[in-house]
Amino acid sequence: MSRDQIVRVLLCALVSGGLVAASGAPYWQSHPVRGVVAGLACAGFAAAGALLATGGPRRVFTGRLLLAAGFCWPFAWLVSWDRGPGPAVSYLCQGSFWVLAGAAILSYPTGVLVANRYRAFVAGAAVVMVGGGVVLLLVSQPQWLGLPATVSWPGVVADRSVFDAWIRVLAAAQVVLAAWFTALLWVRARWLSSLDRRIAVPVLVAAAALVLFSSVKAAVVTSAWTTRSELQAFYFNQGVVALVVSTALVSGALRDRWWELSAPHRVVRITSSGTSVATVRVALAEALRDRSLRLYFWAPAENGWVDVRGLPAVPESSSDDRRWRIAVDGHQHPLAVVEVDAALRDRPLLVDAVLRAGSPALLTAQLQAAASANLAQVLAAQERLAERELAERQRLEQELVEGAQHRLGLLARQLHGLTDHTSDPAVRHFAGECRREVLATVGELEALARGLLPAALAERGLGPALQTVVARLGLTAAVEVVPGRLPPAVEATLYFALCEGLTNVAKYAGGAAVTVRVAVSDGWASGFVVDDGPGGADATAGGGLAGIVDRARVLSGWAAIDSSSTGTQVSVHLPLDVPLVA
């Protein structure tokens, strides 16, 4: 707040408090404490009004209403005078205060009466509180209200029976207005955005308590209508409750202003300790008090938008009018889109200041999001490559089985028939040699096909395939494999990686006890080959164990070889993108 604003707020508070002191001077002489409390209550309304009226366009309307209420309410204490028109004016000022204060509270904190139901209440309150007060003055005499006959009074159609009936009507109407007002406050609190609810709810609750207290007491304590001392005590009790309302108004206005002034600095403070996509989002969400805030970044390499995880996203696709999307431009291309609660449209200066303060951090976050998008594309390409390699292995295996192996098998049978039907020893010997060569070639092709994708793995799964490998290598091993089938690419990668580990055991620790285990946990498949051999294994570049690490990286996984004098553990960990297949 500027010095001029502070001076204006203090001046309005002092003027309102001074009016209270002057209006109720005869009463304050014997009740000074009550005078102080009443002065503080009225000054609080005036101060809150001045504070809001200078706080931006969205607060001007509410501020002016509160200022009017803060300057109108002191004149209700003119009822303390024994002569002149003051007591008659006090009834009209008291009613006007309720209308002005009610309209201000219903427009708080957005600065507008947003629905017809609120306007209807204000009109009804004006009819009952002001119009009803005028009728009361016309049908009464001052003595009936506990006032001396020396005051000026416009009782042109005074009638005691009408007066008594009208008091009952006014008391009932005020109870109805109080219930109506409380219901409107409940609806308003529910429809307020999370941005405004924090500062508005204390005010709404205090206002509801003030209205309910005043209306119920006016209906129950009927002597407040006909005895001046009771009326003055009633006004004082109202002031005590109203002091809570004015305090909540001033506190809310100050907290709102402080938040707006400190929000840009809060963004800088949070992002200065470390800039990441998550940190930038938290900083902006905290500064704007919008936990639903979303960020979208422009990824030049993809020529499109991505979210905070680097995944493709289209912020323009949503038609939700409860959201506000703000484009932040860079030097050569779009930088980001910040999506916030539409209630922030009422605070454009705040949003602009926060985004300006966060623009350097947004630039860094945009680079990180674009890098994440690039990495995601690379990993997706690697995964597709691995899947294509697996499909190619399966196709080649099928071609070997159905093509070359089948034809060579026919040739071997023909050569066998030739040895049975020829009598020439040289031909028979030559045909037998050719048959043996053909059968050896068939065996090599079968071995090659098994290396591409073993039949046991394709048909029965990872467990039986590993048990076959253990038996072929002559190892003593316990095989523990999670039941069910894994995704084909994961299953094949685990198989070949664990085969490398078992082959390493067979070469360098043939007599060791071996455990082979495959488990699934938290979306990851993990395979282990553990032996109690002499150790010494390492992932030498170009070696079989180094191939385990490379295979794991293709599927965005990782592998490790831990070897010591007490044994070796080869482990490989791969992410699961799909659930297990039963």
Side-chain angles (χ1 to χ4, degrees):
M1 290 177 59
S2 66
R3 177 182 296 181
D4 290 341
Q5 290 174 322
I6 295 175
V7 170
R8 190 177 296 115
V9 170
L10 292 177
L11 181 61
C12 289
L14 289 174
V15 170
S16 180
L19 289 175
V20 172
S23 298
Y27 184 65
W28 308 138
Q29 292 177 2
S30 56
H31 301 85
V33 175
R34 292 188 176 187
V36 173
V37 174
L40 289 175
C42 293
F45 273 89
L51 192 62
L52 291 173
T54 58
R58 73 189 301 265
R59 304 180 181 91
V60 171
F61 179 71
T62 302
R64 289 175 178 174
L65 287 175
L66 287 174
L67 268 175
F71 288 130
C72 185
W73 196 15
F75 294 108
W77 288 102
L78 289 173
V79 74
S80 304
W81 292 87
D82 292 337
R83 61 180 61 83
V89 172
S90 71
Y91 284 90
L92 299 181
C93 289
Q94 175 74 358
S96 299
F97 163 76
W98 285 114
V99 176
L100 293 169
I105 297 299
L106 288 176
S107 68
Y108 184 78
T110 58
V112 62
L113 294 171
V114 294
N116 289 331
R117 56 177 174 268
Y118 300 131
R119 302 185 189 98
F121 170 81
V122 173
V127 169
V128 172
M129 303 302 296
V130 180
V134 171
V135 173
L136 181 68
L137 296 177
L138 294 176
V139 301
S140 65
Q141 292 293 331
Q143 300 92 323
W144 302 345
L145 292 167
L147 299 171
T150 55
V151 302
S152 301
W153 200 261
V156 293
V157 287
D159 186 295
R160 184 70 194 202
S161 60
V162 174
F163 167 75
D164 293 337
W166 190 244
I167 286 180
R168 291 192 293 271
V169 170
L170 284 181
Q174 289 182 17
V175 172
V176 172
L177 280 177
W180 188 4
F181 184 70
T182 304
L184 290 178
L185 293 183
W186 170 257
V187 172
R188 183 151 182 77
R190 292 187 59 188
W191 282 99
L192 282 175
S193 68
S194 58
L195 306 168
D196 294 327
R197 191 175 293 121
R198 185 178 305 181
I199 62 171
V201 166
V203 175
L204 301 184
V205 170
L210 172 62
V211 170
L212 289 174
F213 164 79
S214 300
S215 62
V216 171
K217 189 165 185 179
V220 173
V221 184
T222 56
S223 58
W225 294 92
T226 57
T227 306
R228 181 166 64 173
S229 60
E230 291 290 338
L231 181 62
Q232 290 168 325
F234 176 58
Y235 283 176
F236 169 74
N237 293 331
Q238 277 185 346
V240 172
V241 182
L243 187 58
V244 178
V245 179
S246 60
T247 302
L249 283 166
V250 173
S251 173
L254 288 174
R255 287 189 293 116
D256 199 31
R257 295 295 301 278
W258 173 249
W259 163 48
E260 290 190 350
L261 293 173
S262 63
H265 302 286
R266 191 176 294 112
V267 173
V268 175
R269 176 177 54 81
I270 294 176
T271 56
S272 62
S273 60
T275 303
S276 67
V277 174
T279 302
V280 172
R281 187 203 166 277
V282 169
L284 295 178
E286 182 177 329
L288 296 175
R289 288 184 178 174
D290 183 8
R291 295 182 179 180
S292 66
L293 181 143
R294 300 189 188 101
L295 285 177
Y296 302 92
F297 297 98
W298 180 256
E302 282 69 37
N303 195 32
W305 296 95
V306 296
D307 60 15
V308 293
R309 298 170 296 173
L311 301 179
V314 184
E316 298 87 358
S317 62
S318 176
S319 59
D320 188 354
D321 58 2
R322 292 175 298 179
R323 308 293 296 171
W324 181 26
R325 293 165 191 85
I326 309 151
V328 181
D329 293 328
H331 295 296
Q332 299 178 348
H333 52 71
L335 180 61
V337 167
V338 183
E339 183 182 290
V340 296
D341 193 307
L344 281 168
R345 291 182 184 274
D346 295 330
R347 301 174 183 262
L349 297 179
L350 167 68
V351 174
D352 182 67
V354 168
L355 293 184
R356 286 180 181 274
S359 58
L362 277 173
L363 177 59
T364 303
Q366 187 260 348
L367 296 175
Q368 293 179 2
S372 298
N374 292 337
L375 178 60
Q377 293 291 336
V378 170
L379 294 178
Q382 288 181 339
E383 185 175 349
R384 291 192 297 269
L385 178 60
E387 292 175 351
R388 286 197 297 269
E389 288 179 353
L390 180 61
E392 186 64 19
R393 289 187 185 128
Q394 293 173 329
R395 184 191 62 79
L396 185 55
E397 179 196 11
Q398 191 69 19
E399 289 181 357
L400 288 173
V401 172
E402 295 179 356
Q405 285 182 261
H406 179 68
R407 291 193 294 273
L408 288 174
L410 291 176
L411 179 58
R413 286 194 293 272
Q414 291 174 355
L415 291 172
H416 181 70
L418 179 61
T419 59
D420 292 340
H421 292 86
T422 184
S423 57
D424 187 336
V427 173
R428 182 179 299 172
H429 175 73
F430 182 74
E433 288 293 330
C434 289
R435 180 173 180 273
R436 282 190 292 276
E437 288 295 329
V438 169
L439 291 176
T441 302
V442 170
E444 291 177 358
L445 287 175
E446 289 177 349
L448 177 61
R450 285 195 300 271
L452 291 171
L453 194 65
L457 178 62
E459 297 171 4
R460 292 183 290 161
L462 193 55
L466 290 173
Q467 289 174 344
T468 301
V469 173
V470 169
R472 187 171 70 243
L473 294 175
L475 297 173
T476 302
V479 180
E480 303 173 4
V481 179
V482 64
R485 300 298 298 271
L486 300 171
V490 174
E491 197 169 64
T493 301
L494 281 174
Y495 172 80
F496 290 117
L498 297 179
C499 282
E500 290 287 357
L502 289 169
T503 301
N504 186 72
V505 175
K507 286 182 179 180
Y508 304 106
V514 186
T515 298
V516 182
R517 183 166 59 90
V518 177
V520 173
S521 177
D522 297 329
W524 285 77
S526 301
F528 304 87
V529 175
V530 184
D531 69 76
D532 60 358
D538 60 11
T540 304
L545 294 181
I548 295 176
V549 177
D550 294 337
R551 288 181 183 275
R553 285 176 177 170
V554 169
L555 293 185
S556 303
W558 58 280
I561 295 97
D562 299 317
S563 187
S564 66
S565 59
T566 59
T568 300
Q569 174 177 289
V570 176
S571 61
V572 58
H573 309 270
L574 303 174
L576 289 173
D577 293 331
V578 295
L580 294 178
V581 180

